[in-house]
Amino acid sequence: MKKTILVMTMLGLAFTLPATAQFGKLLGKGKGAGKKSGSFATVWESEFDNKASRLALCDGDGNYIIGTDDNSATVVDASGKAIWSGDYKKLTTNKTNNSEYQYTIWKDKGGYLFLFDKRSLGTDRVAVLDLATGKELWNSELYQDLIPKGGAKSEEGTDEGELETVKYINELDSFLISQRNSVILVKANTGEKIWETNRFKGGVGKYVYDAKRNEIIMVNFKPTALGALFSGFKNQLVRINASNGDVLWDATFTGSIEKELVTRRAIIDLWIKGDKIFMYLDGMNVYDYNTGQKLWSVNYENDMGGKGGLFSNSAHKKYYRTIADPLFVDNAVYIVMLGGSNRTKYVEKHDMASGKLLWASEKITGAFCMPNIYKAGDKILIQVGGKVQVQEYRLENSSGGMAGGMAALGGFGGGNVKQWVPYIYWDYKAQKNSVLCIDDKTGTTAWRSEKFDKRITDLILDGEKTVFVGDGDEFYSYDIATGNQLYDVKHNDAKVGKATDVIDFDDKVVVLSEKGLAAYNKKDGTRAYASEKIKGVDYFYHIGDNYFLRDQRNSKNIIYGIDMANGETKGSVESKGKGGSPKYGNGIDITSDGEYIFAFKGKKVEKIKVNN
């Protein structure tokens, strides 16, 4: 039994924004056979004119499906019929050919295919094709150093699939292109230069578009491609008139913007709230929207970097999602703070307008992560411990060509090469896992659970009354107001392995586990069902009204569709192809409503219906 302990002193906690798990990593090591209660139906099979070795994607609606290699592309429609195909050197007037970096921008009725041809001498070639027709929209050889010269391809992309030196501004249908001495905004569909400014230098780490004012708030970072060329680079937060590029003000800030190892997402966030700009970078920095004046800040030293970290990062393996995003509620913001050299974590509540410290919780030692915080009436619930995201590159043998732009590091017999293969997954660290409840008015601890033995899942709240959580072997419910434990269910009796995550599903909580699923009724904790074993689950996705599990062990990529009402498997898809969406793994993409899966292998593409 995990009893609750009433505490009258302030307890150090960590806050986290309530996170809806759109996709999550599970450490599945199950060995059971998958439950074959159903199978997906194939809608059609088709072929590209070329092998989909570089890109293999669909747009969100599944109306356009593209397959590319270094030198050519094919696009088919929702019925599997080819719309267009061709070699880049024939499709482009500047003979862009060996496009070692490519990405798509999907829009209504098509979008853009961006091609970058890196030149060893002179300027890089750029060409933009219309995804719907294959026609060249524009090309240019005006831009230098768009792609890093030398180094691994893993340094090139961002979370949107863009180069560090090129940022697509969706609201303006335009590209911001970073050059040595300026930033240029060009129309995406014509390449026409809208404006250029030399008051902002570097890549765009994060931006927020203000539609009411037609202005862009953005921060910069030193991109890999231009790093050696910059002199006097400074960290900038700027407010720009989107029509003409006038910089209305710029402010400098301390600290450096890092990028995640695999996704290359800039580790920074921006919010506009009223007349203030909130920038989250190793703490909170707040600026006046109208003047750029810094109003207040709360900063800390990140404890994840270097050899001194609690669980140190390395060159090829880094930890993320260890602390909660700031939680904005009414006129206050809750921030998880790091205690510096003593590796403690705690929470501060600040007045949003003035930055005044309203309260600080007691410091908690031994907490590697505090990933979620939830507000329920006059209580704040904090998840102490839980899964953390790991991003790493593993050096592996491969018999195929270079996948996803990864650099081959040496040949082997039989055509094998060694490649740095990216992995993103969730892992657990031994720590003081618990549920902790704080009084929102004072910051004192109202109650906390006993320490969970193995791990802790995210929390599921049923309004402001009850909270549900798992710890690997058991499943619990607590009364939020009092901390009374309402029930304790032996989850290991479900025989689906240790709990890894939870999904809020109507009147049930579905507990994803290492070998399958188990669902519990919220009202009394009775088990609604337990699935048969599903082998090696390591990721789950909630897409539209559909749920999927993934197994990517042993160089495979298997996607299972799951009926959460009864735990049955709708079907599965195994792909050994290249390309695919980074979210779903090699050879797989899924429409935004979760109704169709596209599986790619070489020249072949298969459209699969999820719900029969």
Side-chain angles (χ1 to χ4, degrees):
M1 291 277 294
K2 289 290 184 295
K3 300 177 181 178
T4 58
I5 304 169
L6 292 175
V7 183
M8 299 307 294
T9 58
M10 294 175 65
L11 228 203
L13 314 172
F15 289 118
T16 288
L17 218 82
T20 55
Q22 292 303 310
F23 65 96
K25 188 80 174 191
L26 316 173
L27 288 184
K29 304 182 185 297
K31 299 180 180 180
K35 184 174 184 179
K36 305 298 182 183
S37 58
S39 61
F40 293 139
T42 296
V43 180
W44 49 254
E45 292 182 348
S46 186
E47 284 195 359
F48 297 124
D49 289 340
N50 55 303
K51 286 188 177 180
S53 58
R54 177 66 65 181
L55 295 177
L57 297 164
C58 72
D59 68 345
D61 296 327
N63 293 323
Y64 297 91
I65 303 97
I66 187 170
T68 78
D69 55 27
D70 288 347
N71 312 104
S72 64
T74 302
V75 171
V76 301
D77 64 16
S79 65
K81 295 180 180 179
I83 301 175
W84 63 267
S85 66
D87 295 335
Y88 295 148
K89 62 183 178 182
K90 295 180 180 179
L91 294 170
T92 61
T93 55
N94 66 346
K95 299 187 185 301
T96 296
N97 186 28
N98 185 30
S99 296
E100 50 204 315
Y101 200 86
Q102 310 172 21
Y103 69 86
T104 60
I105 298 293
W106 297 106
K107 296 185 69 66
D108 291 340
K109 298 181 180 180
Y112 311 114
L113 173 60
F114 242 69
L115 306 174
F116 294 88
D117 188 356
K118 182 175 67 174
R119 310 292 297 279
S120 57
L121 297 173
T123 54
D124 296 333
R125 285 176 177 165
V126 178
V128 180
L129 304 183
D130 184 344
L131 277 168
T133 65
K135 293 181 179 179
E136 181 185 69
L137 296 173
W138 58 275
N139 69 73
S140 178
E141 295 184 23
L142 296 176
Y143 308 114
Q144 300 180 19
D145 300 296
L146 293 176
I147 302 176
K149 302 295 190 287
K153 294 291 190 297
S154 62
E155 295 298 320
E156 294 177 359
T158 70
D159 55 330
E160 286 87 9
E162 302 166 2
L163 291 168
E164 292 183 335
T165 50
V166 180
K167 185 74 172 180
Y168 178 69
I169 308 296
N170 180 67
E171 296 86 349
L172 302 175
D173 194 24
S174 301
F175 290 95
L176 276 168
I177 299 177
S178 300
Q179 292 291 268
R180 178 178 181 179
N181 296 313
S182 66
V183 170
I184 305 167
L185 186 75
V186 302
K187 291 183 179 180
N189 59 349
T190 66
E192 175 190 352
K193 183 168 76 172
I194 303 173
W195 50 257
E196 181 175 4
T197 179
N198 60 7
R199 288 189 58 188
F200 182 87
K201 297 181 181 180
V204 179
K206 188 77 176 181
Y207 82 91
V208 179
Y209 176 71
D210 187 336
K212 292 186 298 183
R213 301 179 177 96
N214 192 28
E215 294 175 352
I216 306 172
I217 304 296
M218 59 187 186
V219 292
N220 69 347
F221 68 98
K222 187 184 292 186
T224 307
L226 300 175
L229 302 177
F230 274 123
S231 58
F233 176 84
K234 61 180 181 179
N235 294 324
Q236 288 179 289
L237 170 71
V238 299
R239 175 187 168 197
I240 294 182
N241 183 317
S243 299
N244 55 26
D246 287 349
V247 176
L248 303 176
W249 54 255
D250 70 290
T252 59
F253 60 91
T254 58
S256 59
I257 300 177
E258 298 181 8
K259 307 202 85 176
E260 292 180 354
L261 182 65
V262 173
T263 68
R264 306 307 296 159
R265 184 187 74 91
I267 307 175
I268 185 171
D269 276 304
L270 286 176
W271 299 274
I272 298 175
K273 293 187 177 295
D275 59 353
K276 295 180 180 58
I277 298 167
F278 291 78
M279 181 175 73
Y280 192 47
L281 175 68
D282 292 342
M284 184 67 75
N285 298 275
V286 184
Y287 299 84
D288 184 280
Y289 187 100
N290 297 308
T291 66
Q293 178 184 357
K294 189 173 182 179
L295 301 176
W296 59 272
S297 64
V298 180
N299 301 109
Y300 56 77
E301 179 183 353
N302 195 313
D303 68 352
M304 292 303 299
K307 296 181 179 180
L310 186 60
F311 291 94
S312 295
N313 288 316
S314 65
H316 300 298
K317 184 176 182 180
K318 295 184 183 295
Y319 297 93
Y320 302 103
R321 316 296 190 266
T322 58
I323 60 174
D325 290 336
L327 175 61
F328 296 94
V329 177
D330 298 328
N331 297 316
V333 58
Y334 306 85
I335 305 170
V336 178
M337 302 296 295
L338 310 183
S341 60
N342 57 359
R343 307 305 177 196
T344 61
K345 292 180 174 64
Y346 60 100
V347 173
E348 290 185 352
K349 179 180 179 181
H350 289 263
D351 178 79
M352 283 180 59
S354 65
K356 178 183 177 181
L357 177 64
L358 301 178
W359 51 254
S361 70
E362 180 184 338
K363 294 181 178 179
I364 298 178
T365 60
F368 177 61
C369 67
M370 291 182 172
N372 289 297
I373 181 172
Y374 312 79
K375 190 174 190 300
D378 61 354
K379 297 291 190 298
I380 300 294
L381 290 168
I382 296 98
Q383 176 188 332
V384 182
K387 62 184 186 298
V388 294
Q389 189 183 87
V390 184
Q391 296 187 18
E392 67 173 315
Y393 282 97
R394 301 174 189 170
L395 195 58
E396 297 181 355
N397 291 335
S398 174
S399 58
M402 289 190 292
M406 305 307 298
L409 300 182
F412 289 83
N416 287 341
V417 294
K418 272 205 167 185
Q419 298 176 349
W420 286 105
V421 179
Y423 287 85
I424 302 176
Y425 57 94
W426 298 102
D427 200 357
Y428 293 86
K429 296 294 182 183
Q431 55 188 303
K432 297 179 179 179
N433 304 308
S434 63
V435 180
L436 196 139
C437 182
I438 283 183
D439 183 277
D440 185 37
K441 294 181 180 179
T442 64
T444 57
T445 299
W447 59 267
R448 66 171 179 260
S449 69
E450 288 184 350
K451 179 182 175 183
F452 287 17
D453 296 332
K454 304 292 183 182
R455 58 180 64 171
I456 184 173
T457 68
D458 293 351
L459 311 184
I460 298 291
L461 273 65
D462 187 7
E464 299 177 358
K465 296 180 179 180
T466 52
V467 59
F468 308 94
V469 61
D471 79 340
D473 295 327
E474 299 180 66
F475 179 70
Y476 308 97
S477 176
Y478 296 94
D479 179 78
I480 293 175
T482 64
N484 292 335
Q485 187 178 96
L486 302 178
Y487 53 75
D488 170 11
V489 179
K490 300 295 183 183
H491 176 65
N492 53 4
D493 290 346
K495 302 186 184 305
V496 291
K498 293 186 181 299
T500 53
D501 225 312
V502 284
I503 292 176
D504 192 352
F505 188 78
D506 297 332
D507 59 349
K508 304 178 186 66
V509 175
V510 181
V511 180
L512 286 83
S513 307
E514 293 175 333
K515 301 177 184 179
L517 309 173
Y520 299 93
N521 293 306
K522 292 179 180 178
K523 61 180 181 179
D524 55 12
T526 55
R527 186 175 299 118
Y529 65 78
S531 71
E532 295 179 18
K533 295 178 180 179
I534 299 176
K535 194 174 183 180
V537 174
D538 65 358
Y539 244 102
F540 76 88
Y541 308 87
H542 179 195
I543 309 170
D545 294 327
N546 298 283
Y547 293 84
F548 301 90
L549 307 180
R550 188 178 81 173
D551 173 9
Q552 62 173 350
R553 302 168 309 139
N554 303 322
S555 300
K556 295 181 180 179
N557 188 26
I558 305 173
I559 299 290
Y560 296 92
I562 303 297
D563 185 340
M564 287 295 174
N566 54 29
E568 292 185 353
T569 303
K570 297 178 181 179
S572 63
V573 177
E574 179 177 347
S575 176
K576 299 179 181 178
K578 301 298 181 183
S581 168
K583 287 195 294 185
Y584 309 123
N586 271 347
I588 295 289
D589 202 2
I590 303 175
T591 55
S592 55
D593 59 7
E595 294 296 325
Y596 294 97
I597 299 173
F598 289 92
F600 304 92
K601 184 179 181 182
K603 298 180 68 171
K604 295 181 179 180
V605 54
E606 181 181 4
K607 182 178 181 179
I608 298 155
K609 186 173 177 57
V610 171
N611 297 299
N612 296 323

